[in-house]
Amino acid sequence: MGRVFVAGSINMDVVATADRHPKVGETVAGQQVLYFPGGKGANQAVAASRLGAKTTLIGRLGKDSFGTELRTFLNAQGIDPGSIRETPETHTGTAIITVAASDNTIVVIPGSNALVSADDVADVPLAKGDVAVSQFEIPLPTIAAFFQRARAVGATTLLNPAPAQKMSGELLALVDILVLNETELGFLAGTELSDSDEAAKIVAVARQLQARPDQIICITLGKRGVLALAGSEEFAVQGRVVKAVDTTGAGDCFVGALTAQLADGVTLRAALAFANAAASISVQRMGAGPSMPTAAEVAAVLSAG
């Protein structure tokens, strides 16, 4: 079994719940405030680790109370913390999240995540069969350096380009597997897409974005499931309809579950079905990091059909 190496953000999520989201300039009464470990990198690493993958997280924490709490949490998830550095000159990354009617709005303050550098990924012991994962909450030059090292040793690179921002063709060409939603795909391709668009249209846009003939692009569509473009092959994985409580971290759960399966040598189609089931569990729980399921929980969902 290969290992999963995640280079990415580590945040404390400060979650406020309310009956509805405020309009601009409006104040609404909330219900409660909650503190959850989060950050796309940490969420994906937690998901992979809980699902049985040997997982290393590369990132930075501030020297503050949030940093201490997050390190304790990550250690408890079985994640290798050896590549998580302390950065005393700035605060730990923080996300301010409002949850209302199962939907969320998020403001992310990068803090120490903005200082994750190429030096942080320079000595990561990547090898053939491993999966190198990253997202867009750390500097893009760091991701490029990470992926260059991964490809040099025969590891698989997987990018979740969220929050969406423009990237160079050089970085895109380093990506073996691109996992994104329809909004992010539309942004990167320079066209507007919605989750109600026909599958053929979404896949056609993905094909325009494809940087190499063998590049895999997976488009997550929430309850509609997943569309995949694997080289010249196209296929869909049916979604699961559940009662969502909090969708924060659902995409990260999907990515972490997918990487854990791929590191274990599972085929893409089966890995996507597994990841889809894992994400359907996570949205039924509050919080990002703490909502990630175990392998036994996902197996139970899959066996139930």
Coordinates of all heavy atoms in Angstrom, one line a residue, residues 95-164:
A95 N -10.7 30.0 9.9 CA -11.9 30.2 9.0 C -13.1 30.6 9.8 O -13.4 29.9 10.8 CB -12.1 28.9 8.2
I96 N -13.8 31.6 9.3 CA -15.0 32.1 10.0 C -16.2 31.6 9.1 O -16.3 32.0 8.0 CB -15.0 33.6 10.1 CG1 -13.7 34.1 10.7 CG2 -16.3 34.0 10.9 CD1 -13.5 33.6 12.1
I97 N -17.0 30.7 9.7 CA -18.0 30.0 8.9 C -19.4 30.2 9.5 O -19.6 30.1 10.7 CB -17.7 28.5 8.9 CG1 -16.3 28.2 8.3 CG2 -18.8 27.7 8.1 CD1 -15.9 26.7 8.5
T98 N -20.3 30.6 8.6 CA -21.7 30.7 9.0 C -22.5 29.6 8.3 O -22.4 29.4 7.1 CB -22.3 32.0 8.6 OG1 -21.6 33.1 9.1 CG2 -23.8 32.2 9.0
V99 N -23.2 28.8 9.2 CA -24.0 27.7 8.7 C -25.5 28.0 8.9 O -25.9 28.3 10.0 CB -23.7 26.4 9.4 CG1 -24.6 25.2 8.9 CG2 -22.2 26.0 9.1
A100 N -26.3 28.0 7.8 CA -27.7 28.2 7.9 C -28.4 27.4 6.9 O -28.0 27.4 5.7 CB -28.1 29.7 7.7
A101 N -29.5 26.7 7.3 CA -30.2 25.8 6.3 C -29.3 24.9 5.5 O -29.5 24.7 4.3 CB -31.1 26.7 5.4
S102 N -28.3 24.3 6.2 CA -27.4 23.3 5.7 C -26.4 23.9 4.7 O -25.5 23.2 4.2 CB -28.1 22.2 5.0 OG -29.0 21.5 5.9
D103 N -26.5 25.2 4.3 CA -25.5 25.8 3.5 C -24.5 26.7 4.3 O -24.9 27.1 5.4 CB -26.2 26.7 2.4 CG -26.9 25.9 1.4 OD1 -26.4 24.8 1.0 OD2 -28.0 26.3 1.0
N104 N -23.4 26.9 3.7 CA -22.4 27.7 4.5 C -21.8 28.8 3.7 O -21.7 28.8 2.5 CB -21.3 26.8 5.1 CG -20.5 26.1 4.0 OD1 -19.9 26.7 3.1 ND2 -20.5 24.7 4.0
T105 N -21.3 29.9 4.4 CA -20.4 30.9 3.8 C -19.2 30.9 4.7 O -19.2 30.6 5.9 CB -21.1 32.3 3.9 OG1 -21.4 32.6 5.3 CG2 -22.4 32.3 3.1
I106 N -18.0 31.1 4.0 CA -16.7 30.9 4.7 C -15.8 32.1 4.3 O -15.7 32.5 3.2 CB -16.1 29.6 4.2 CG1 -17.0 28.4 4.5 CG2 -14.8 29.4 5.0 CD1 -16.4 27.1 3.9
V107 N -15.2 32.7 5.4 CA -14.1 33.6 5.2 C -12.8 33.0 5.8 O -12.8 32.6 6.9 CB -14.4 35.0 5.9 CG1 -13.2 35.9 5.8 CG2 -15.6 35.6 5.3
V108 N -11.8 32.8 5.0 CA -10.6 32.2 5.4 C -9.5 33.2 5.6 O -9.2 34.0 4.7 CB -10.1 31.1 4.4 CG1 -8.8 30.5 4.9 CG2 -11.2 30.0 4.3
I109 N -8.8 33.2 6.8 CA -7.6 34.1 7.0 C -6.4 33.1 7.0 O -6.3 32.4 8.0 CB -7.8 34.8 8.3 CG1 -9.1 35.6 8.4 CG2 -6.6 35.8 8.5 CD1 -10.2 34.9 9.1
P110 N -5.6 33.2 6.0 CA -4.5 32.2 5.9 C -3.5 32.0 7.0 O -3.2 30.9 7.4 CB -3.8 32.6 4.6 CG -4.8 33.4 3.9 CD -5.6 34.1 4.9
G111 N -3.1 33.2 7.6 CA -2.1 33.1 8.7 C -0.9 32.3 8.3 O -0.3 32.5 7.2
S112 N -0.5 31.3 9.1 CA 0.7 30.5 8.9 C 0.6 29.7 7.6 O 1.7 29.3 7.0 CB 0.9 29.6 10.0 OG -0.2 28.8 10.3
N113 N -0.6 29.4 7.0 CA -0.7 28.7 5.8 C 0.0 29.4 4.6 O 0.5 28.8 3.7 CB -2.1 28.4 5.4 CG -2.8 27.6 6.5 OD1 -2.3 26.5 6.9 ND2 -4.0 28.0 6.9
A114 N 0.0 30.7 4.7 CA 0.6 31.5 3.6 C 2.1 31.4 3.5 O 2.7 31.8 2.6 CB 0.2 33.0 3.7
L115 N 2.7 30.8 4.6 CA 4.2 30.7 4.7 C 4.7 29.3 4.4 O 5.9 29.1 4.5 CB 4.6 31.2 6.1 CG 4.3 32.6 6.5 CD1 4.8 32.9 7.9 CD2 4.9 33.6 5.4
V116 N 3.8 28.4 4.0 CA 4.2 27.1 3.6 C 5.1 27.2 2.3 O 4.5 27.8 1.3 CB 3.1 26.1 3.4 CG1 3.6 24.7 3.0 CG2 2.2 26.0 4.7
S117 N 6.3 26.8 2.3 CA 7.2 27.1 1.2 C 7.8 25.8 0.6 O 7.5 24.7 1.0 CB 8.4 27.9 1.8 OG 9.2 27.1 2.6
A118 N 8.5 26.0 -0.5 CA 9.2 24.9 -1.2 C 10.1 24.2 -0.2 O 10.3 22.9 -0.4 CB 9.9 25.4 -2.4
D119 N 10.7 24.9 0.7 CA 11.6 24.2 1.7 C 10.8 23.2 2.5 O 11.4 22.2 3.0 CB 12.2 25.2 2.6 CG 13.3 26.1 1.9 OD1 13.8 25.6 0.8 OD2 13.7 27.1 2.4
D120 N 9.5 23.5 2.8 CA 8.7 22.6 3.6 C 8.5 21.2 3.0 O 8.3 20.2 3.6 CB 7.4 23.2 4.0 CG 7.5 24.4 4.8 OD1 8.5 24.5 5.6 OD2 6.6 25.3 4.8
V121 N 8.5 21.2 1.6 CA 8.3 19.9 0.9 C 9.5 19.3 0.4 O 9.5 18.2 -0.3 CB 7.3 20.2 -0.3 CG1 5.9 20.7 0.3 CG2 7.8 21.1 -1.3
A122 N 10.7 19.9 0.6 CA 11.9 19.5 0.0 C 12.4 18.1 0.5 O 13.1 17.4 -0.3 CB 13.0 20.6 0.2
D123 N 12.1 17.8 1.7 CA 12.7 16.6 2.3 C 11.6 15.5 2.6 O 11.8 14.6 3.3 CB 13.5 16.8 3.5 CG 12.7 17.6 4.6 OD1 11.5 17.9 4.3 OD2 13.2 17.8 5.7
V124 N 10.4 15.7 2.0 CA 9.3 14.7 2.2 C 9.7 13.4 1.5 O 10.1 13.4 0.3 CB 8.0 15.2 1.6 CG1 6.9 14.2 1.8 CG2 7.6 16.5 2.3
P125 N 9.7 12.2 2.2 CA 10.1 11.0 1.6 C 9.1 10.3 0.6 O 8.7 9.2 0.9 CB 10.4 10.1 2.8 CG 9.4 10.6 3.8 CD 9.3 12.1 3.6
L126 N 8.8 11.0 -0.5 CA 7.9 10.4 -1.4 C 8.6 9.3 -2.2 O 9.8 9.2 -2.4 CB 7.5 11.5 -2.4 CG 6.6 12.6 -2.0 CD1 6.7 13.8 -2.8 CD2 5.1 12.1 -2.0
A127 N 7.8 8.3 -2.6 CA 8.2 7.2 -3.4 C 7.2 6.7 -4.4 O 6.0 7.1 -4.3 CB 8.6 6.0 -2.5
K128 N 7.6 5.9 -5.3 CA 6.6 5.3 -6.3 C 5.5 4.6 -5.6 O 5.7 3.9 -4.6 CB 7.4 4.4 -7.2 CG 6.5 3.8 -8.4 CD 7.3 3.0 -9.3 CE 6.5 2.4 -10.4 NZ 5.9 3.4 -11.3
G129 N 4.3 4.8 -6.0 CA 3.1 4.2 -5.4 C 2.4 5.1 -4.4 O 1.3 4.9 -4.0
D130 N 3.1 6.2 -4.0 CA 2.5 7.2 -3.0 C 1.6 8.1 -3.8 O 1.7 8.3 -5.0 CB 3.6 8.0 -2.3 CG 4.4 7.1 -1.4 OD1 3.9 6.1 -1.0 OD2 5.5 7.6 -1.0
V131 N 0.8 8.9 -3.1 CA -0.1 9.9 -3.7 C 0.2 11.2 -3.0 O 0.2 11.3 -1.8 CB -1.6 9.5 -3.5 CG1 -2.5 10.6 -4.2 CG2 -1.9 8.2 -4.1
A132 N 0.6 12.2 -3.8 CA 0.9 13.6 -3.3 C -0.4 14.5 -3.6 O -0.8 14.6 -4.7 CB 2.1 14.1 -4.0
V133 N -0.9 15.1 -2.5 CA -2.2 15.8 -2.6 C -1.9 17.3 -2.2 O -1.2 17.5 -1.2 CB -3.2 15.2 -1.7 CG1 -4.6 15.8 -1.9 CG2 -3.3 13.7 -1.9
S134 N -2.6 18.2 -2.9 CA -2.6 19.6 -2.5 C -3.8 20.3 -2.9 O -4.6 19.8 -3.7 CB -1.3 20.3 -3.0 OG -1.1 21.5 -2.2
Q135 N -4.0 21.5 -2.4 CA -5.1 22.4 -2.7 C -4.6 23.8 -2.8 O -3.4 24.1 -2.7 CB -6.2 22.3 -1.6 CG -6.2 21.0 -0.7 CD -5.0 21.0 0.2 OE1 -4.5 22.0 0.6 NE2 -4.5 19.8 0.4
F136 N -5.5 24.8 -3.0 CA -5.1 26.1 -3.2 C -5.2 27.0 -2.0 O -5.4 28.2 -2.1 CB -6.0 26.8 -4.3 CG -5.5 26.4 -5.7 CD1 -6.2 26.8 -6.8 CD2 -4.4 25.7 -5.9 CE1 -5.8 26.5 -8.1 CE2 -3.9 25.4 -7.2 CZ -4.6 25.8 -8.3
E137 N -5.0 26.5 -0.8 CA -4.9 27.3 0.4 C -3.5 27.5 0.9 O -3.3 28.0 2.0 CB -5.8 26.7 1.5 CG -7.3 26.9 1.2 CD -8.2 26.4 2.4 OE1 -7.8 25.6 3.2 OE2 -9.4 26.9 2.4
I138 N -2.5 27.0 0.1 CA -1.1 27.3 0.3 C -0.5 27.9 -1.0 O -1.2 27.8 -2.0 CB -0.3 26.1 0.8 CG1 -0.3 25.0 -0.3 CG2 -0.8 25.6 2.1 CD1 0.6 23.8 0.0
P139 N 0.6 28.6 -0.9 CA 1.2 29.2 -2.2 C 1.3 28.2 -3.3 O 1.8 27.1 -3.2 CB 2.5 29.8 -1.7 CG 2.3 30.0 -0.2 CD 1.5 28.9 0.2
L140 N 1.0 28.7 -4.5 CA 1.0 27.8 -5.7 C 2.5 27.4 -6.0 O 2.7 26.2 -6.5 CB 0.4 28.5 -6.9 CG -1.1 28.2 -7.1 CD1 -1.9 28.6 -5.9 CD2 -1.7 28.9 -8.4
P141 N 3.5 28.2 -5.9 CA 4.9 27.8 -6.1 C 5.3 26.6 -5.2 O 6.0 25.7 -5.7 CB 5.7 29.0 -5.8 CG 4.8 30.1 -6.1 CD 3.5 29.7 -5.6
T142 N 4.7 26.5 -4.0 CA 5.0 25.4 -3.1 C 4.4 24.1 -3.7 O 5.0 23.1 -3.7 CB 4.4 25.7 -1.7 OG1 5.0 26.9 -1.2 CG2 4.7 24.6 -0.8
I143 N 3.2 24.2 -4.2 CA 2.5 23.1 -4.8 C 3.3 22.6 -6.0 O 3.5 21.4 -6.2 CB 1.0 23.4 -5.2 CG1 0.2 23.9 -4.0 CG2 0.4 22.3 -5.9 CD1 -1.1 24.5 -4.3
A144 N 3.8 23.5 -6.8 CA 4.5 23.1 -8.0 C 5.8 22.3 -7.6 O 6.1 21.3 -8.2 CB 4.9 24.3 -8.8
A145 N 6.5 22.8 -6.6 CA 7.7 22.2 -6.1 C 7.4 20.8 -5.6 O 8.1 19.8 -5.8 CB 8.4 23.0 -5.0
F146 N 6.3 20.7 -4.8 CA 5.8 19.4 -4.3 C 5.5 18.4 -5.4 O 6.0 17.2 -5.3 CB 4.6 19.7 -3.4 CG 4.0 18.5 -2.7 CD1 4.8 17.6 -2.0 CD2 2.6 18.3 -2.7 CE1 4.2 16.6 -1.3 CE2 2.1 17.3 -2.0 CZ 2.9 16.4 -1.3
F147 N 4.8 18.8 -6.4 CA 4.4 17.9 -7.5 C 5.6 17.6 -8.3 O 5.7 16.4 -8.9 CB 3.3 18.6 -8.3 CG 1.9 18.5 -7.6 CD1 0.8 19.1 -8.3 CD2 1.7 17.9 -6.4 CE1 -0.4 19.0 -7.7 CE2 0.5 17.8 -5.8 CZ -0.6 18.4 -6.5
Q148 N 6.5 18.5 -8.5 CA 7.7 18.1 -9.3 C 8.5 17.0 -8.6 O 9.0 16.1 -9.3 CB 8.6 19.4 -9.4 CG 8.1 20.4 -10.5 CD 8.8 21.7 -10.4 OE1 9.6 22.0 -9.5 NE2 8.5 22.6 -11.4
R149 N 8.6 17.1 -7.3 CA 9.3 16.0 -6.5 C 8.6 14.7 -6.6 O 9.1 13.7 -6.8 CB 9.5 16.4 -5.1 CG 10.5 17.5 -4.8 CD 11.0 17.4 -3.4 NE 11.7 16.2 -3.1 CZ 11.3 15.3 -2.2 NH1 10.2 15.5 -1.5 NH2 11.9 14.2 -2.0
A150 N 7.2 14.8 -6.5 CA 6.4 13.6 -6.6 C 6.6 12.9 -8.0 O 6.8 11.7 -8.0 CB 5.0 14.0 -6.3
R151 N 6.5 13.7 -9.0 CA 6.5 13.1 -10.4 C 7.9 12.5 -10.7 O 8.1 11.5 -11.4 CB 6.1 14.1 -11.4 CG 4.6 14.3 -11.4 CD 4.2 15.3 -12.5 NE 4.5 14.8 -13.8 CZ 3.8 13.9 -14.5 NH1 2.7 13.4 -14.0 NH2 4.2 13.6 -15.7
A152 N 8.9 13.1 -10.1 CA 10.3 12.7 -10.3 C 10.5 11.3 -9.7 O 11.4 10.5 -10.3 CB 11.3 13.6 -9.7
V153 N 9.8 10.9 -8.7 CA 10.0 9.6 -8.1 C 8.8 8.6 -8.5 O 8.8 7.4 -8.0 CB 10.1 9.7 -6.6 CG1 11.3 10.5 -6.2 CG2 8.8 10.2 -5.9
G154 N 7.9 9.0 -9.3 CA 6.8 8.1 -9.8 C 5.6 8.1 -8.9 O 4.8 7.2 -9.0
A155 N 5.5 9.1 -8.0 CA 4.3 9.2 -7.2 C 3.1 9.8 -8.0 O 3.4 10.6 -8.9 CB 4.5 10.0 -5.9
T156 N 1.9 9.6 -7.6 CA 0.7 10.2 -8.3 C 0.5 11.5 -7.7 O 0.4 11.7 -6.5 CB -0.5 9.3 -8.2 OG1 -0.2 8.0 -8.8 CG2 -1.7 9.9 -8.8
T157 N 0.2 12.5 -8.5 CA -0.2 13.9 -8.0 C -1.7 14.1 -8.2 O -2.2 13.8 -9.2 CB 0.6 15.0 -8.7 OG1 0.3 14.9 -10.1 CG2 2.1 14.8 -8.5
L158 N -2.3 14.7 -7.1 CA -3.7 15.0 -7.1 C -3.9 16.4 -6.6 O -3.5 16.7 -5.5 CB -4.5 14.0 -6.3 CG -6.0 14.1 -6.3 CD1 -6.6 12.7 -6.1 CD2 -6.6 15.0 -5.3
L159 N -4.6 17.2 -7.4 CA -4.8 18.6 -7.1 C -6.3 18.8 -6.9 O -7.1 18.5 -7.8 CB -4.2 19.5 -8.1 CG -4.4 21.0 -7.9 CD1 -3.7 21.5 -6.6 CD2 -4.0 21.8 -9.1
N160 N -6.7 19.5 -5.8 CA -8.0 20.0 -5.6 C -7.9 21.5 -5.7 O -7.5 22.2 -4.7 CB -8.5 19.5 -4.3 CG -9.8 20.1 -3.9 OD1 -10.1 20.4 -2.7 ND2 -10.8 20.3 -4.8
P161 N -8.2 22.2 -6.8 CA -7.9 23.6 -7.0 C -9.0 24.5 -6.4 O -9.7 25.2 -7.1 CB -7.9 23.7 -8.5 CG -8.8 22.7 -9.0 CD -8.7 21.5 -8.1
A162 N -9.0 24.4 -5.1 CA -10.0 25.2 -4.3 C -9.3 25.8 -3.1 O -8.5 25.2 -2.5 CB -11.1 24.3 -3.9
P163 N -9.7 27.0 -2.7 CA -10.6 27.9 -3.5 C -10.1 28.3 -4.9 O -8.8 28.4 -5.0 CB -10.7 29.2 -2.6 CG -10.2 28.7 -1.2 CD -9.2 27.7 -1.5
A164 N -10.9 28.4 -5.8 CA -10.5 28.5 -7.2 C -9.7 29.8 -7.4 O -10.0 30.9 -6.9 CB -11.7 28.6 -8.1

